[in-house]
Every structure is written in C-alpha cells, then in structure tokens.
C-alpha cells in the first residue's frame, strides 16, 4: 500500500493546522483570507491559514473577511 503523507496535524478551535505553509495558504485562500501564522504542536511547528489566530477562528465562526474590513456607523 502507498500512503500519502498527511499534512494535517490537528485542529485548534476548529481550524486546521498543517505541516506545510502551502496547505495553510491554500486553506486561507479558500476562506477568503491571506497569509499564515504558526503554532507549536507536539514539538513541531504547524502552519495555520490567516494572518493570526483570531482571523482564522472568526472566519470559521461565519464572520466573513469583508465584514472584518468594514466599519459600521
């Protein structure tokens, strides 16, 4: 059997943590975000989409990137 290396390390607050920057960027792009940030998981650096953890968890809570950039008066 041939096993594909899994790049998903775990989920933190419902957001996937990957072993590669590219997977984190792909996830971010699929959610309308850009960039990535890091977390430590079991002694390994993991990569999460979004410029910070709040941005990543907000988008998973249904807050859109557009609403994060808009102001209401």
């Amino acid at each position: 059997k041939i096993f594909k290396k899994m790049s998903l390390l775990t989920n933190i607050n419902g957001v996937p943590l990957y072993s590669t920057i590219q997977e984190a960027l792909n996830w971010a792009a699929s959610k309308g975000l850009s960039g990535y940030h890091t977390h430590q998981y079991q002694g390994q650096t993991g990569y999460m989409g979004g410029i910070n953890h709040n941005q990543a968890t907000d988008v998973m809570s249904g807050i859109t990137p557009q609403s994060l950039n808009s102001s209401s008066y």
Side-chain angles (χ1 to χ4, degrees):
K1 291 183 177 181
I2 298 173
F3 292 97
K4 182 180 177 186
K5 182 181 175 190
M6 295 294 294
S7 64
L8 179 65
L9 298 176
T10 191
N11 287 286
I12 301 174
N13 302 118
V15 182
L17 184 69
Y18 297 100
S19 62
T20 67
I21 293 171
Q22 190 59 57
E23 284 291 324
L25 292 173
N26 291 347
W27 180 89
S30 76
K31 302 295 182 187
L33 302 175
S34 61
Y36 70 92
H37 63 283
T38 62
H39 291 273
Q40 291 298 310
Y41 177 72
Q42 296 184 346
Q44 179 179 355
T45 300
Y47 304 92
M48 185 175 283
I51 58 170
N52 58 47
H53 194 69
N54 287 339
Q55 187 186 63
T57 55
D58 283 350
V59 78
M60 292 303 288
S61 299
I63 300 171
T64 64
Q66 292 78 17
S67 67
L68 294 173
N69 295 327
S70 63
S71 298
S72 56
Y73 294 94

